[in-house]
Amino acid sequence: MDGKQGNNASSPNKEDDSPSQQGAASRPPPSATSALGMPSGRLPPFVGISGVAPSPPQFVTMEEIMSAANGLTNMRLFHEIAVDQDFKLTPYDPPENSIEKAVKDAAHRAFWDLLSKELEEDPPVYTRALILLEEVKTILLELVLPQQEKMIQEINEMIDVPFIQQQAENGALDFLGYAQHIINVMGRICAPARDENIQKLKEISDPIDIFKGVFETLTLMRLDFANFGIQMLRTNIMGESVEYEKKKFAEALALQGGIDSLVITKEWLRRHLEKTPNGSEKEIVLNAYLEMFAWGLPEKFPETVVMDSARHRELGQRLHQLVIAGTVLLVTLSRAALPALQQSTSFKEKLLNDVKIVLQDVKDDEALKNILPSVAVQVISIVKTYTNQGTESNQVQQTVFVDAAFEQSLSELIKDIHRPDHNVRRIVNERTTEFVYQSLASLPNVPKQVPPGMTSLRPELLSTTASIIRLYKYNLAVFGDYYCQIISKLKEENTTA
């Protein structure tokens, strides 16, 4: 937002979060998070509850159900703002060729057609035009702060609907004149990013096109206003989001039957308890969490992770794409066996950038198998270019023969990378997984060594790992109590079995 008329932001109305009377099962255990080595409340980014089995059955009122649903909706928004530093509201457009879009377009077209016919009558009819002016006034008043008294007064005086109606009845209404006054006010309160929109509006003479443009621009200004407010409130949201989400999740969970209804979460933790029966709660949860970033994940995520399922899939794909790119680079350098290529930063950057572009939509090994022939063609082309041109300084000409046998050999080596047990890929994957594990398990300020073979991918690896850490820490801060309680109960069951 800009400073044309002060900062266009206001705090949203705070929801009444007075706690309802819930049973003990609605609250997480008091201090179990200490076993995971995590504080109970602050760190950056995500949550959810889905597919929760109603066990045991209980009776709830419709009011309680609606309250819980609203709580989860608010929790999701709160969570998104806290987790995603780039979060912002954007205009919603229905999908192309959808019924929703067809109905919306038809309704809008009908309204503007009727408005056009009314204005073309002799004398003009201003019924819908006055409705538009009233709506414009309402939106403009939403976009100014309460302390901007002069601006509020100006808008109220400029769009005095009863007075405008009198002018219309007496045939003295300058409709285009009002439109231009409105555009001028919009130009004074909009963000700088909308100045171009305002200028275009000033150049329109057709009244229908003007008001179409006015409403489109006002919609964008509303989003600017809301996003600016989100940015101003982000620090407070970050500080309070953990406790807020814990509370809302507990309220929703109470209606589902308490912690026993976290069926998928329980089975998720049980699998990893069986793998490390003597492991600590922290170790079990950490190993379980790393599973979220594997290719070929099941459709159902644990209830405590479901809100972040799309993020986990995306980060898992990014991580594996980096592993594949690193494997391709190592295989290529090994087969070419040219010191000049191994020392060439530009060669490595070019190869990795091109390979990452080809791999960007790959989500599993089947898709990888289909795309690797294209990767091989691209890699061979880059090798040819660099062996023909010499090193990046062009001072040393290469004499290696990139013949058909070489191309065939390198192509087969690259296409073979689709196998999960491929020796180089397996080593790179193990090193990368260990790097992420150590990054999650150790203190933030302890230096971590980038895995051998991944040095050229260091920025992307660090960025992806940092995103994983933020998700893990935030998830643990919100749900660590539940994880400890579930693991403790599972251990008791194993002891008594």
Side-chain angles (χ1 to χ4, degrees):
M1 300 298 291
D2 70 332
K4 297 178 182 179
Q5 280 294 324
N7 294 330
N8 294 343
S10 63
S11 300
N13 294 328
K14 289 190 176 181
E15 180 186 353
D16 181 9
D17 280 338
S18 56
S20 58
Q21 295 298 321
Q22 304 288 355
S26 69
R27 300 180 180 85
S31 59
T33 42
S34 59
L36 293 173
M38 290 297 301
S40 60
R42 329 213 156 246
L43 288 161
F46 240 86
V47 252
I49 180 168
S50 174
V52 182
S55 173
Q58 55 180 299
F59 296 98
V60 293
T61 66
M62 180 59 70
E63 182 181 356
E64 288 176 307
I65 294 173
M66 293 306 296
S67 175
N70 291 334
L72 287 177
T73 300
N74 293 334
M75 183 176 73
R76 179 181 288 274
L77 177 61
F78 210 79
H79 181 79
E80 285 287 339
I81 294 171
V83 172
D84 186 357
Q85 294 182 349
D86 299 321
F87 174 84
K88 63 179 180 179
L89 302 173
T90 56
Y92 171 72
D93 289 318
E96 288 293 333
N97 303 320
S98 66
I99 296 177
E100 182 184 3
K101 182 170 178 57
V103 171
K104 177 183 176 182
D105 291 346
H108 284 199
R109 189 164 50 250
F111 178 88
W112 294 115
D113 287 347
L114 287 172
L115 176 63
S116 179
K117 288 180 181 179
E118 287 184 348
L119 296 179
E120 289 172 355
E121 291 186 21
D122 188 17
V125 175
Y126 293 105
T127 304
R128 284 177 174 76
L130 292 173
I131 295 174
L132 278 181
L133 289 173
E134 184 75 55
E135 180 67 15
V136 168
K137 178 180 178 180
T138 300
I139 297 174
L140 287 174
L141 290 174
E142 288 177 357
L143 296 176
V144 295
L145 299 175
Q147 59 265 34
Q148 295 178 284
E149 296 177 358
K150 290 185 178 180
M151 178 60 70
I152 293 173
Q153 181 180 353
E154 180 178 345
I155 294 171
N156 284 323
E157 292 176 353
M158 177 181 66
I159 310 179
D160 184 344
V161 176
F163 177 69
I164 295 172
Q165 189 166 7
Q166 288 180 9
Q167 288 182 312
E169 292 171 353
N170 295 323
L173 177 61
D174 181 5
F175 193 59
L176 285 177
Y178 274 105
Q180 291 301 325
H181 284 310
I182 289 170
I183 293 169
N184 287 332
V185 170
M186 290 169 60
R188 288 157 57 193
I189 65 176
C190 71
R194 305 304 167 199
D195 287 345
E196 185 177 350
N197 301 70
I198 299 298
Q199 186 57 43
K200 288 180 179 178
L201 288 176
K202 291 180 179 179
E203 298 169 359
I204 301 174
S205 58
D206 181 78
I208 302 300
D209 290 339
I210 285 179
F211 273 90
K212 281 183 180 179
V214 163
F215 272 93
E216 289 173 0
T217 304
L218 284 174
T219 298
L220 296 174
M221 289 171 62
R222 269 177 154 174
L223 289 172
D224 294 338
F225 185 90
N227 287 326
F228 183 72
I230 287 171
Q231 290 298 324
M232 294 299 98
L233 292 169
R234 187 178 299 281
T235 301
N236 291 334
I237 290 173
M238 292 284 289
E240 299 174 5
S241 59
V242 168
E243 291 304 321
Y244 179 82
E245 291 189 29
K246 288 173 73 172
K247 174 185 174 184
K248 289 299 179 184
F249 187 86
E251 290 174 357
L253 192 62
L255 296 177
Q256 300 287 345
I259 196 170
D260 288 338
S261 63
L262 299 178
V263 178
I264 303 175
T265 302
K266 183 177 181 180
E267 292 307 309
W268 173 57
L269 293 173
R270 185 196 302 276
R271 286 200 308 273
H272 292 276
L273 174 60
E274 290 172 353
K275 293 177 183 178
T276 54
N278 298 319
S280 64
E281 285 90 345
K282 181 177 181 179
E283 184 180 0
I284 293 167
V285 172
L286 181 50
N287 284 324
Y289 199 81
L290 280 177
E291 182 187 67
M292 296 295 98
F293 304 99
W295 277 8
L297 284 174
E299 286 300 315
K300 291 185 177 181
F301 278 77
E303 295 88 349
T304 55
V305 183
V306 70
M307 195 182 293
D308 278 331
S309 58
R311 275 190 175 89
H312 286 88
R313 291 187 188 281
E314 180 188 353
L315 287 171
Q317 289 166 19
R318 278 168 53 184
L319 200 61
H320 283 271
Q321 286 163 8
L322 291 176
V323 168
I324 299 303
T327 304
V328 170
L329 177 62
L330 290 177
V331 167
T332 302
L333 292 176
S334 175
R335 178 63 186 87
L338 294 172
L341 286 185
Q342 294 171 348
Q343 297 167 11
S344 172
T345 302
S346 64
F347 169 75
K348 294 175 183 177
E349 289 178 350
K350 172 64 176 171
L351 185 146
L352 289 172
N353 286 337
D354 286 9
V355 168
K356 284 185 291 183
I357 291 173
V358 177
L359 293 175
Q360 61 185 351
D361 294 324
V362 173
K363 299 179 180 179
D364 52 40
D365 285 328
E366 187 62 32
L368 178 64
K369 182 178 181 180
N370 295 332
I371 204 69
L372 281 176
S374 299
V375 172
V377 170
Q378 185 67 20
V379 170
I380 291 169
S381 174
I382 297 170
V383 171
K384 281 183 176 180
T385 299
Y386 274 81
T387 54
N388 288 334
Q389 292 179 353
T391 64
E392 53 193 337
S393 64
N394 286 322
Q395 294 176 348
V396 180
Q397 195 72 17
Q398 300 299 313
T399 58
V400 67
F401 292 102
V402 183
D403 55 14
F406 176 88
E407 291 184 27
Q408 178 68 21
S409 173
L410 181 55
S411 178
E412 292 301 323
L413 287 171
I414 291 174
K415 287 189 285 188
D416 200 39
I417 292 172
H418 79 275
R419 295 186 297 104
D421 61 349
H422 182 278
N423 195 39
V424 179
R425 173 181 166 181
R426 179 180 54 79
I427 293 172
V428 173
N429 186 64
E430 288 175 355
R431 290 173 175 175
T432 303
T433 302
E434 181 63 20
F435 174 79
V436 176
Y437 181 93
Q438 292 301 329
S439 298
L440 293 175
S442 61
L443 297 174
N445 56 351
V446 176
K448 320 290 187 308
Q449 182 179 0
V450 174
M454 298 293 282
T455 306
S456 299
L457 291 162
R458 185 176 187 275
E460 295 93 333
L461 178 61
L462 295 182
S463 173
T464 302
T465 303
S467 297
I468 292 173
I469 290 172
R470 284 196 297 271
L471 282 177
Y472 171 68
K473 299 292 188 183
Y474 193 87
N475 183 276
L476 200 58
V478 176
F479 300 109
D481 292 339
Y482 298 109
Y483 295 152
C484 283
Q485 187 173 347
I486 290 171
I487 292 171
S488 177
K489 190 172 182 179
L490 288 172
K491 287 183 175 181
E492 288 179 7
E493 290 175 1
N494 291 342
T495 301
T496 56

